Amino acid sequence: MAIDYQERIPNNVDLAGNATLQRALEHWQPRFLDWWREMGPSDFLDASVYLRTATSVDAKGWASWGAVKMPDYRWGIFLAEPETDRKISFGDVMGEPTWQQVPGEHRTTLRRLIVTQGDTEPASVEQQRLLGHSAPSLYDLRSLFQVNVEEGRHLWAMVYLLHAYFGRDGREEAEELLARHSGDADRPRILSTFNEPIEDWLSFFMFTYFTDRDGKFQLMSLAESGFDPLARTCRFMLMEEAHHMMVGVNGVARVVARTLEAMQQLKTEEPDKLREAGVVDLPTLQRYLNFWFSSSLDLFGAEVSTNAAAYFATGIKGRPDEGRFEEHVCRDSALAVETPNGVQDVSLRNAMNEVTRQAYIKDCDNGVQRWSRMIEQAGFAFHLRLPSPRFHRTIGAWAGRPVDPAGNLVGESQWQARRDDWLPSAADKAFVMSLMRPVTEPGKVAGWIASPERGVNRLPADYEYVRLA
Ligand code: BYC
């Protein structure tokens, strides 16, 4: 069904055909807009931003582009087209028809997963709300706002499911999604990483590279769900998610490129000299990478999880790209999982979080290798690397263990003594913050990051992507 932009809430779910649901969502809409004004990008309500908006849900030509003031962005409800006769493709219910309504016995679990997914979306907008004041270029400012409005739309996607399928509890949960706030002492966001501050653009690029990639893997798992409306919602969200990770991979690559340029000009790898020259030295970049990667690993949950086993067995949440696996019931197989007490054979269903985390780690490594190749090609011996998955964990078997980035258990006192070599120190953060000065002239870019290789939607790089009010 085509997207109807004449409606107050653009949608392809025939909202007009369900007056009760439409009224409920129209009631939530002004609350969302209030939240956007209070907790969304600070001070840019009147800026005109060159944004893409979804116009259809197929893979080709699904977006239109144009200058929009963000509060006027057309947030809506878009589900991928249904597949005829879709069957559940894994677990004990494999081969059974997918559910068009929520089965009573799965109501609580599905609601919790949808709420957890939904909670991350506004959380990330809140985390990034001050970044507009220090954007290194108008190109980057536009990217930030594009990511923000799409995270807002992902919130809409989950709120639609809550309203349409979970009755009064769903409506209450939708209110709560606007009431919890990132980093709030009393009402924090649900998952750990989404309460971490993102105060500088290096963190933003690391977040979009590592944390949005968790989004990709979680959405891929939920896109396999037996609950068909959730699967269809996630399939469409994945198309938007790809852009967010691109912002991350290119953003970090541009930081690396600029640093390498300075290293070559000054013929030095000395962090202090490079900092004096106003670029981010590579060891600092590695520490930011260590932080955001390890924090994002926590988002996959514990290595051994009865929750994950139950999601899989009951057809609620599969593995990313379930179709690529040979066996989909996984009742009798096991996975060797490393714990501080040695390697344990864990029933595969209980180890589903670990299966997904391992696929994620492999995917993360691609970009890191790309950045490392840039360094090598510039003639320097420094390697950026993913730290061991045991390092700096707060969830799962390795939580709280003093492990170095190579994965060795070290004593607590050594960990404390070396902490600032491995994770951003207060001085690193202060230095990176000192670079964060806004550049608002079209085509100009801050001194700590290279220019983008090309503009957006075939426009030149010096296009005025954001017209500030
Ligand atoms: N922080 O059995 P376990 C995205 C909780 S990102 C705090 O291992 P399970 C995005 C867990 O909830 C993708 N708590 O957990 C990216 C459970 O609590 P309850 C977001 C944590 O259920 C960038 C307890 O610990 N989507 O889209 O197997 C920008 C026991 O743990 C954490 C999803 O996450 C943590 N890190 O797996 C914008 C998908 N980890 O329930 C957006 C939906 C675990 O016992 N969520 N806990 O009170 C899920 O599938 C699962 O909830 C998890 C956890 C994979 C997160």
Side-chain angles (χ1 to χ4, degrees):
M1 178 182 277
I3 293 176
D4 185 350
Y5 269 96
Q6 303 311 311
E7 293 276 333
R8 199 163 131 193
I9 302 172
N11 71 90
N12 70 348
V13 293
D14 189 23
L15 205 53
N18 184 341
T20 316
L21 176 60
Q22 186 172 35
R23 250 196 323 275
L25 284 164
E26 285 180 358
H27 186 68
W28 186 81
Q29 189 177 37
R31 292 167 196 244
F32 167 81
L33 288 171
D34 286 347
W35 166 83
W36 182 271
R37 287 193 188 94
E38 269 172 48
M39 302 303 293
S42 117
D43 290 338
F44 290 90
L45 295 173
D46 290 325
S48 237
V49 188
Y50 185 72
L51 291 175
R52 73 176 179 181
T53 308
T55 47
S56 84
V57 291
D58 54 25
K60 291 171 242 134
W62 60 275
S64 81
W65 293 84
V68 180
K69 289 189 180 168
M70 281 185 286
D72 302 333
Y73 186 78
R74 301 305 314 277
W75 284 284
I77 299 159
F78 314 126
L79 271 61
E81 292 296 340
E83 266 173 49
T84 20
D85 292 333
R86 187 175 158 247
K87 301 278 191 287
I88 302 174
S89 59
F90 60 91
D92 292 335
V93 284
M94 182 167 164
E96 293 181 13
T98 52
W99 321 307
Q100 297 309 319
Q101 292 297 327
V102 179
E105 68 273 29
H106 300 325
R107 193 181 163 87
T108 307
T109 309
L110 271 166
R111 194 185 63 211
R112 201 172 54 201
L113 286 177
I114 292 169
V115 165
T116 307
Q117 177 65 50
D119 192 70
T120 63
E121 317 290 0
S124 68
V125 176
E126 292 170 354
Q127 284 170 293
Q128 297 162 13
R129 74 182 298 264
L130 296 178
L131 289 178
H133 294 292
S134 59
S137 70
L138 289 182
Y139 167 93
D140 291 294
L141 189 58
R142 188 213 84 79
S143 298
L144 168 73
F145 292 155
Q146 184 75 58
V147 169
N148 290 163
V149 294
E150 286 175 356
E151 300 301 8
R153 207 205 66 70
H154 290 182
L155 170 62
W156 270 95
M158 293 301 126
V159 164
Y160 163 71
L161 294 176
L162 290 169
H163 272 248
Y165 297 96
F166 294 89
R168 177 200 277 259
D169 322 350
R171 291 194 294 278
E172 285 171 5
E173 293 283 13
E175 299 291 322
E176 287 297 305
L177 286 171
L178 299 177
R180 283 185 293 271
H181 296 309
S182 177
D184 190 297
D186 300 321
R187 299 176 95 177
R189 291 296 177 180
I190 297 170
L191 297 176
S192 47
T193 314
F194 295 90
N195 290 302
E196 298 289 352
I198 303 179
E199 287 164 342
D200 61 75
W201 280 74
L202 184 56
S203 296
F204 172 66
F205 292 135
M206 292 292 177
F207 180 92
T208 42
Y209 187 76
F210 289 111
T211 311
D212 277 279
R213 194 169 305 271
D214 168 55
K216 166 182 159 184
F217 280 80
Q218 296 299 335
L219 291 173
M220 283 169 83
S221 301
L222 295 173
E224 303 287 339
S225 179
F227 179 40
D228 200 45
L230 173 62
R232 288 173 55 205
T233 306
C234 291
R235 262 182 274 146
F236 184 65
M237 289 164 74
L238 277 164
M239 290 162 72
E240 291 163 318
E241 202 66 47
H243 167 258
H244 307 180
M245 287 177 293
M246 201 260 299
V247 169
V249 71
N250 289 343
V252 178
R254 286 166 54 214
V255 180
V256 173
R258 177 67 194 102
T259 299
L260 291 172
E261 193 182 36
M263 285 164 75
Q264 285 173 325
Q265 271 166 3
L266 301 173
K267 298 192 177 38
T268 185
E269 293 185 45
E270 271 296 313
D272 288 346
K273 290 198 180 126
L274 292 163
R275 285 184 175 201
E276 261 170 46
V279 297
V280 184
D281 54 286
L282 297 177
T284 299
L285 212 107
Q286 176 72 59
R287 288 193 283 276
Y288 274 69
L289 183 161
N290 289 351
F291 176 79
W292 288 104
F293 173 66
S294 56
S295 180
S296 302
L297 288 180
D298 282 337
L299 296 173
F300 291 82
E303 288 80 357
V304 185
S305 165
T306 50
N307 284 346
Y311 304 151
F312 190 84
T314 54
I316 286 176
K317 185 180 173 192
R319 289 168 291 186
D321 274 335
E322 186 59 47
R324 286 210 206 153
F325 292 85
E326 275 177 18
E327 208 270 303
H328 305 284
V329 179
C330 305
R331 203 180 286 121
D332 305 316
S333 27
L335 185 78
V337 172
E338 287 184 357
T339 73
N341 305 319
V343 176
Q344 285 178 9
D345 269 346
V346 177
S347 125
L348 188 54
R349 286 183 175 181
N350 284 302
M352 284 305 172
N353 288 342
E354 192 53 23
V355 170
T356 309
R357 182 166 24 239
Q358 285 178 7
Y360 165 81
I361 292 172
K362 228 167 132 193
D363 204 41
C364 285
D365 198 39
N366 292 333
V368 178
Q369 289 201 24
R370 177 179 150 194
W371 305 327
S372 265
R373 269 197 305 278
M374 290 169 64
I375 302 172
E376 199 182 320
Q377 280 163 5
F380 296 99
F382 193 92
H383 282 281
L384 289 169
R385 313 197 148 80
L386 291 178
S388 158
R390 306 170 191 175
F391 170 73
H392 188 234
R393 295 291 303 280
T394 64
I395 298 280
W398 296 91
R401 300 284 174 143
V403 172
D404 71 9
N408 306 307
L409 265 171
V410 294
E412 187 59 39
S413 57
Q414 199 192 343
W415 202 90
Q416 288 305 337
R418 299 288 313 274
R419 189 212 167 278
D420 287 357
D421 294 336
W422 299 333
L423 291 168
S425 65
D428 290 338
K429 289 182 192 171
F431 166 69
V432 172
M433 275 309 277
S434 75
L435 300 176
M436 300 295 122
R437 307 253 169 76
V439 175
T440 54
E441 201 180 318
K444 293 275 186 304
V445 176
W448 57 273
I449 184 167
S451 298
E453 274 176 17
R454 58 185 73 83
V456 176
N457 194 28
R458 294 195 209 96
L459 289 173
D462 62 358
Y463 184 77
E464 194 173 358
Y465 289 106
V466 181
R467 288 213 175 97
L468 299 166

